[in-house]
């Protein structure tokens, strides 16, 4: 509530110059807020630019230390890995193989960049021949992901990630009961100290297009609306988050971020829980495309957007802009 009136009260007094603006700034963006996503591919000496995501690359395992060192040098504390295997099958078996692409990637990064905090995305869409996020059950011509059979595969996947040295697992498939199943699996295997960052409110969004190109995870048929959330729903997101917290999630995530600021704010205010937001590929690519056309000031737009996500309540932001922003923050 304002206690004074114009002309005695002039809010512009605290906007007079950069020093006073800094002194009263309510939300401060730092590199500690960021998690940097990395795509991993098979092969050797590969650094493949992703056409729909300018400035982002797929790295072969032997070149992961190169990007790991850049992340560390920037002061960014963590990365999240997405694997693209050479061979895919109906069960996505590479995702839980001891010699799977993510398992080898984790071992490489933890050996060469031990200070880096390594998070693994836990899902099946990049690994299955059909591109869906779990065990596919079909009745005639109608197919859908079998929730409970997928939980059994998720248990195998997270244990293999933990054994490889992952610091945190991040299940993204939106299966009912996935956090309970994963927590019990990790605890039973002796990994009770590994936290879970749950994609708790993940929407069936049109903003994921560039990621699906990058990770080669576009569904071979249909879509993911039977397990990812309807973009029109708000209260359902709060129920999803509440269930994941009850089942043992340590961090909850809202994905995407830009069109779901209201959800981020409500999750933070309702649960007072560590909250992550995923600044997804479509959000990134739109900014890049407009900047390349000269239509926007990329630096100012990115900093404003990420600050708004933090202002909305995000404690952590998964963003492809992280390396650029780290440099900009140093300069400023």
């Amino acid at each position: 509530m304002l206690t004074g009136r114009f002309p005695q009260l002039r809010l512009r007094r605290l906007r007079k110059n950069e020093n006073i603006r800094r002194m009263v700034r309510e939300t401060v963006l730092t590199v500690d807020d960021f998690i940097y996503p990395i795509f991993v591919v098979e092969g050797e000496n590969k650094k493949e630019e992703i056409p729909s995501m300018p400035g982002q690359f797929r790295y072969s395992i032997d070149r992961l230390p190169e990007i790991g060192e850049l992340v560390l040098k920037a002061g960014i504390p963590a990365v999240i890995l997405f694997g693209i295997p050479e061979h895919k099958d109906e069960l996505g078996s590479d995702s839980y193989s001891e010699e799977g692409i993510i398992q080898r990637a984790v071992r490489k990064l933890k050996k060469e960049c031990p200070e880096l905090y390594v998070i693994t995305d836990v899902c099946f869409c990049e690994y299955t021949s059909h591109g869906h996020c779990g065990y596919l059950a079909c009745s005639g011509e109608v197919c859908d992901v079998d929730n409970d059979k997928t939980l059994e595969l998720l248990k195998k996947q997270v244990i293999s990630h933990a054994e490889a040295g992952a610091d945190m697992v991040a299940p993204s498939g939106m299966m009912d009961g996935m956090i309970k199943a994963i927590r019990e699996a990790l605890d039973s295997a002796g990994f009770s100290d590994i936290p879970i960052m749950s994609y708790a409110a993940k929407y069936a969004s049109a903003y994921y297009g560039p990621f699906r190109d990058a990770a080669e995870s576009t569904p071979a048929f249909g879509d993911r609306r039977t397990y990812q959330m309807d973009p029109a729903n708000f209260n359902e997101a709060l129920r999803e988050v509440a269930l994941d917290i009850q089942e043992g999630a340590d961090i909850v995530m809202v994905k995407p971020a830009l069109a779901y600021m209201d959800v981020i704010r409500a999750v933070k205010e309702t649960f007072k829980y560590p909250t992550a937001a995923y600044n997804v590929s479509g959000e990134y690519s739109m900014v890049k495309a407009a900047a390349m056309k000269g239509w926007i000031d990329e630096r100012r737009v990115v900093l404003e957007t990420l600050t708004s996500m933090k202002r909305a309540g995000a404690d952590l932001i998964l963003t492809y802009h992280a390396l650029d922003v780290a440099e900009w923050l140093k300069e400023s």
Side-chain angles (χ1 to χ4, degrees):
M1 293 289 293
L2 293 177
T3 57
R5 295 181 180 179
F6 177 84
Q8 290 79 18
L9 179 63
R10 293 176 180 267
L11 295 182
R12 287 182 60 189
R13 291 177 186 136
L14 300 184
R15 304 172 192 156
K16 190 70 174 176
N17 58 47
E18 180 57 20
N19 284 340
I20 190 60
R21 289 194 294 269
R22 285 171 55 203
M23 290 166 65
V24 299
R25 190 161 289 148
E26 299 172 25
T27 305
V28 179
L29 196 67
T30 78
V31 291
D32 294 333
D33 302 322
F34 300 145
I35 298 170
Y36 186 62
I38 298 176
F39 298 98
V40 189
V41 293
E42 294 285 7
E44 294 183 358
N45 195 32
K46 287 185 177 180
K47 182 182 177 182
E48 306 169 342
E49 186 164 20
I50 301 165
S52 58
M53 298 177 68
Q56 298 302 305
F57 302 86
R58 303 181 189 94
Y59 294 89
S60 56
I61 292 172
D62 59 311
R63 296 194 64 172
L64 283 179
E66 172 185 327
I67 184 64
E69 290 293 342
L70 284 177
V71 171
L72 286 171
K73 185 178 179 181
I76 298 164
V79 297
I80 183 167
L81 301 181
F82 298 90
I84 306 154
E86 187 173 4
H87 301 291
K88 304 186 180 191
D89 58 36
E90 288 191 359
L91 295 180
S93 59
D94 190 277
S95 69
Y96 51 82
S97 167
E98 182 180 344
E99 292 302 316
I101 189 167
I102 283 295
Q103 290 76 0
R104 287 179 285 128
V106 171
R107 290 196 292 266
K108 182 69 170 180
L109 270 180
K110 295 307 293 183
K111 179 182 179 181
E112 302 291 338
C113 305
E115 305 92 348
L116 193 62
Y117 196 85
V118 177
I119 306 168
T120 56
D121 177 74
V122 176
C123 196
F124 291 96
C125 58
E126 303 105 306
Y127 305 92
T128 54
S129 53
H130 45 72
H132 282 281
C133 298
Y135 183 97
L136 203 62
C138 297
S139 177
E141 296 184 357
V142 178
C143 296
D144 196 7
V145 173
D146 186 305
N147 191 95
D148 295 0
K149 288 184 178 179
T150 299
L151 296 184
E152 295 305 311
L153 297 177
L154 284 172
K155 293 178 184 179
K156 297 170 67 174
Q157 188 176 157
V158 294
I159 291 173
S160 72
H161 290 189
E163 289 175 341
D167 295 297
M168 177 187 289
V169 295
S172 60
M174 290 296 287
M175 296 295 112
D176 291 339
M178 68 180 184
I179 303 304
K180 180 176 185 291
I182 288 170
R183 184 73 271 161
E184 289 177 350
L186 289 171
D187 291 352
S188 297
F191 296 108
S192 58
D193 288 338
I194 291 185
I196 300 171
M197 177 169 65
S198 173
Y199 289 63
K202 180 179 179 180
Y203 286 84
S205 172
Y207 284 95
Y208 302 150
F211 175 94
R212 291 176 179 173
D213 291 338
E216 300 176 2
S217 61
T218 303
F221 59 88
D223 53 45
R224 297 177 179 142
R225 286 182 291 180
T226 65
Y227 42 100
Q228 294 177 1
M229 287 181 53
D230 186 333
N233 291 358
F234 173 86
N235 292 323
E236 183 185 3
L238 300 184
R239 296 199 297 272
E240 285 279 9
V241 171
L243 285 169
D244 282 3
I245 290 173
Q246 290 172 7
E247 292 178 8
D250 300 282
I251 300 170
V252 291
M253 186 197 300
V254 177
K255 179 184 180 184
L258 191 59
Y260 298 86
M261 297 286 200
D262 57 331
V263 180
I264 296 170
R265 168 54 60 190
V267 167
K268 189 62 180 178
E269 288 186 344
T270 302
F271 301 103
K272 307 293 192 294
Y273 224 69
T275 302
Y278 201 141
N279 176 213
V280 298
S281 59
E283 298 165 8
Y284 172 88
S285 295
M286 288 191 301
V287 170
K288 283 290 185 180
M292 291 167 69
K293 287 283 189 180
W295 294 339
I296 62 170
D297 182 326
E298 179 181 356
R299 176 172 174 162
R300 290 187 63 191
V301 168
V302 170
L303 289 172
E304 181 177 343
T305 300
L306 297 182
T307 299
S308 70
M309 292 172 187
K310 188 172 181 182
R311 189 185 67 240
D315 303 293
L316 304 168
I317 303 172
L318 291 77
T319 179
Y320 304 96
H321 295 291
L323 286 172
D324 287 337
V325 175
E327 188 63 31
W328 298 336
L329 293 176
K330 286 180 183 178
E331 292 173 2
S332 63

